[in-house]
Amino acid sequence: MMDAVNTKHIYKAAFLITGIISLAACRKDLLVTVPTDRISTGIYWKTDVDATNAANAVYTYMDGVNLVFWDGLSDIGHFNTTGAAFAPIDQGVADAQNGEFAAQYTTCYKGINAVNNFMANVDRITVTNATLVNSRRGEVRALRAYFYLKLAGWFGAVPLVTSNITIDEGTQLTRTDVATIYDYIGKELDTAATLLPNTQTDKGRITKGAALALKARAMLYAGRYTEAAAAAKAVMDLNVYSLYPAYKQLFTYAAENNSEVIMDKQFVKDIYSNNIFSSMAAASLASSVAQVVPTKQGADEFEMANGKAITDPASGFDPYHPYDNRDPRLHYSIYTPGDTLVNGKVYNPIPGSGTADAIGGGNLYATTTGYNVRKYINPEDLSAPGNSGINIIIIRYPEVLLTYAEAKIELNQLDQSVYDAINQVRARPDVNMPPIAAGQSQAQLRAAVRHERTVELEFEGLHTFDIRRWKTAETIYPGPIKGITYVKGGVLTTVVNSSFIRSFNPQRDYLWPIPQQEIILNKNLVQNPNW
């Protein structure tokens, strides 16, 4: 969570130092002259500042706006345009040549290469501040674990590269089994945590809490529930993080660097900006297409304010007024018909409404479901929607609480701490949902914590990974895309996009394919099943 001034200097240095990262990956016998267009490793790696700048370069490979995109590959979201490279993945018709598979794979390994280069050279500097340099070591090692966690989640077994290698060596790599990848992730994050402080002066740098929270996430994904619960508890016991009182403000400029942000990617307008507004806002707010829109499943997951599911006959749900008396997080996360947009106008996507947001109204940028994502959409970005400076959150404290609860539930350790963790999330002042009642079975609590993760963390890049590790994607994902239900001629009518049919092959789609270009370059890489 770097403040604006610190972020400005960090990213300027990061762009400069990226050239060093690339240069150091080359074979030493090719460095026969001192380059004039970049900094040579022959004159770099001298001071603490060099270590800081090289660590800064690694941060540029962290995820940003694409986190929101990932939930478009789940039941709660949908890619709003078939022109996007993600759309074939969303439909289940992509092949191993799809550019998004390659982009994720390549970006992760670029980040890993940057870390490996840092670790290969950092001991060359003359250290004047050992605490600072050790922190930088911890930061980059935690980030390397983060990159491997994404690779394991998307692709399963991948090559484990922990030091600089030559191009020739790169073409001989084999895939390391995913259990070993998770072993490595856990050990790296343990080591990183010992090197890192609880807080950083430069907001946005990895902290001890971030390393431990990443370990909790990784071990949950690996099904190592004892380790997941322990890592989550370690974050809780730091007493550094707490729930921010207003969920409604969590994704606004006013709430940046708040008490529950554990790890984020920092942005600054005009210096290092993002396009979250132009990529996700309603059509009437921005002249760009909303890449991902919520689905009926995503909206219906939110309970009534009394804590009952809308499918419960006793819930009081009124299909003619479907968005009244709901879990407040529905309106904080999703734009539903009748909500007020950040420009002060009423959101009206109903077919035939004549607004820029109307479904089927001729505006190619309009939502196809009648919903739009609300998180990160702020009035400060109305005038320059492609130049947003809002920070993108990677880990929030509620995820840690819910990871702790889920891990304990899977271990069948159904003590009071499980209820406390879930209910703490539900009891946020401007959410104030009824607590989960005591005395529930493992199956009931499993359903409760999965629900809570879904609604609390919608469009934060976690749900797609969740439905894959839960092995529920094959059941809840396939079929046509459904949207809002509205009154048409006195009859309740649900929007159904029957031209976009999702499929999910459980024998194939729980893992992405190794990108075809990698298979071509390296004959030792074996493709994932059925790709």
Side-chain angles (χ1 to χ4, degrees):
M1 299 174 293
M2 306 167 198
D3 61 34
V5 175
N6 288 325
T7 306
K8 177 177 179 179
H9 293 305
I10 284 165
Y11 283 115
K12 280 185 177 178
F15 293 134
L16 174 64
I17 215 68
T18 298
I20 300 171
I21 301 300
S22 301
L23 181 63
C26 301
R27 287 174 14 211
K28 291 182 179 179
D29 60 355
L30 297 181
L31 300 176
V32 294
T33 62
V34 176
T36 59
D37 62 341
R38 69 199 78 177
I39 301 175
S40 167
T41 55
I43 60 174
Y44 197 76
W45 299 109
K46 302 294 185 183
T47 68
D48 296 352
V49 173
D50 293 339
T52 292
N53 289 340
N56 292 346
V58 182
Y59 282 90
T60 63
Y61 297 105
M62 291 167 60
D63 292 294
V65 176
N66 59 317
L67 285 176
V68 183
F69 288 5
W70 292 351
D71 278 356
L73 302 174
S74 74
D75 56 311
I76 66 172
H78 164 57
F79 274 87
N80 201 40
T81 169
T82 56
F86 273 115
I89 306 174
D90 192 16
Q91 287 179 293
V93 298
D95 59 29
Q97 298 183 71
N98 184 283
E100 291 301 332
F101 298 146
Q104 285 300 313
Y105 191 93
T106 301
T107 300
C108 285
Y109 276 111
K110 284 180 178 179
I112 290 164
N113 179 62
V115 177
N116 291 345
N117 180 64
F118 178 99
M119 296 303 296
N121 289 284
V122 68
D123 289 336
R124 296 168 52 190
I125 70 174
T126 300
V127 176
T128 57
N129 185 338
T131 300
L132 181 146
V133 173
N134 280 334
S135 177
R136 300 299 179 258
R137 294 176 194 267
E139 291 167 37
V140 300
R141 294 183 74 160
L143 286 169
R144 181 165 57 183
Y146 171 73
F147 300 137
Y148 272 116
L149 175 55
K150 287 202 302 171
L151 287 168
W154 288 130
F155 303 101
V158 292
L160 181 59
V161 184
T162 60
S163 60
N164 283 340
I165 60 174
T166 65
I167 293 175
D168 289 342
E169 289 170 336
T171 62
Q172 302 300 315
L173 293 171
T174 59
R175 298 176 68 178
T176 304
D177 69 275
V178 73
T180 302
I181 298 291
Y182 279 117
D183 288 342
Y184 176 77
I185 291 169
K187 290 176 182 176
E188 276 291 275
L189 292 169
D190 282 342
T191 300
T194 66
L195 297 169
L196 289 163
N198 284 1
T199 60
Q200 294 268 24
T201 301
D202 289 342
K203 301 300 183 181
R205 293 197 179 280
I206 303 296
T207 60
K208 183 187 296 290
L212 293 170
L214 279 172
K215 183 179 181 182
R217 180 188 288 184
M219 296 301 101
L220 186 71
Y221 286 10
R224 301 178 183 182
Y225 300 118
T226 298
E227 293 178 73
K233 186 63 164 58
V235 178
M236 296 156 66
D237 289 345
L238 290 174
N239 293 317
V240 172
Y241 307 102
S242 61
L243 292 184
Y244 188 68
Y247 191 101
K248 183 178 182 179
Q249 297 176 1
L250 271 175
F251 305 93
T252 67
Y253 285 94
E256 286 188 328
N257 306 324
N258 71 68
S259 60
E260 70 180 62
V261 177
I262 298 176
M263 181 177 172
D264 66 355
K265 187 168 186 177
Q266 299 254 323
F267 293 93
V268 182
K269 286 177 180 289
D270 301 320
I271 298 171
Y272 191 76
S273 61
N274 65 61
N275 64 347
I276 188 72
F277 195 101
S278 62
S279 294
M280 302 304 301
S284 60
L285 293 176
S287 59
S288 298
V289 63
Q291 298 293 320
V292 174
V293 293
T295 63
K296 177 177 172 60
Q297 287 165 282
D300 286 356
E301 183 71 22
F302 291 87
E303 298 169 333
M304 298 297 289
N306 58 20
K308 298 182 184 296
I310 65 171
T311 54
D312 186 332
S315 70
F317 175 71
D318 180 358
Y320 288 91
H321 300 90
Y323 310 114
D324 292 351
N325 303 314
R326 301 285 291 276
D327 180 336
R329 288 173 293 187
L330 169 62
H331 295 285
Y332 300 155
S333 303
I334 295 173
Y335 278 119
T336 64
D339 286 343
T340 301
L341 296 165
V342 293
N343 63 357
K345 297 182 179 180
V346 174
Y347 178 65
N348 186 359
I350 304 297
S353 66
T355 70
D357 297 314
I359 301 171
N363 187 343
L364 296 177
Y365 301 153
T367 174
T368 52
T369 65
Y371 300 112
N372 275 100
V373 174
R374 187 168 194 155
K375 291 179 177 178
Y376 298 114
I377 306 304
N378 291 293
E380 292 89 339
D381 295 326
L382 274 168
S383 61
N387 184 27
S388 175
I390 192 72
N391 299 336
I392 305 297
I393 301 170
I394 297 173
I395 304 177
R396 292 193 288 119
Y397 187 53
E399 180 193 343
V400 172
L401 294 172
L402 297 174
T403 292
Y404 173 81
E406 183 177 349
K408 294 271 285 185
I409 291 166
E410 294 303 326
L411 292 167
N412 206 24
Q413 297 174 0
L414 311 182
D415 57 29
Q416 185 59 41
S417 68
V418 172
Y419 293 91
D420 291 344
I422 299 173
N423 288 333
Q424 186 177 342
V425 176
R426 292 173 66 85
R428 189 193 301 265
D430 74 340
V431 173
N432 195 30
M433 291 294 289
I436 301 296
Q440 298 197 37
S441 67
Q442 183 186 38
Q444 289 172 317
L445 283 173
R446 179 182 292 126
V449 77
R450 290 182 179 185
H451 160 79
E452 203 62 30
R453 281 184 68 92
T454 301
V455 298
E456 173 70 22
L457 304 169
E458 276 210 11
F459 300 104
E460 296 180 45
L462 298 176
H463 190 63
T464 292
F465 289 106
D466 282 348
I467 65 174
R468 281 160 169 72
R469 66 185 177 84
W470 294 334
K471 294 296 185 287
T472 58
E474 61 199 76
T475 302
I476 64 177
Y477 190 63
I481 304 299
K482 296 182 179 180
I484 59 172
T485 298
Y486 66 103
V487 178
K488 180 180 180 181
V491 178
L492 289 172
T493 303
T494 297
V495 169
V496 179
N497 184 358
S498 56
S499 65
F500 195 105
I501 307 297
R502 285 169 159 170
S503 63
F504 191 92
N505 179 355
Q507 280 72 51
R508 184 193 67 177
D509 293 337
Y510 280 112
L511 291 176
W512 280 1
I514 301 298
Q516 189 62 35
Q517 65 188 38
E518 302 296 329
I519 299 291
I520 293 171
L521 291 170
N522 183 356
K523 303 301 182 184
N524 293 319
L525 294 179
V526 178
Q527 187 56 276
N528 279 327
N530 300 312
W531 283 97

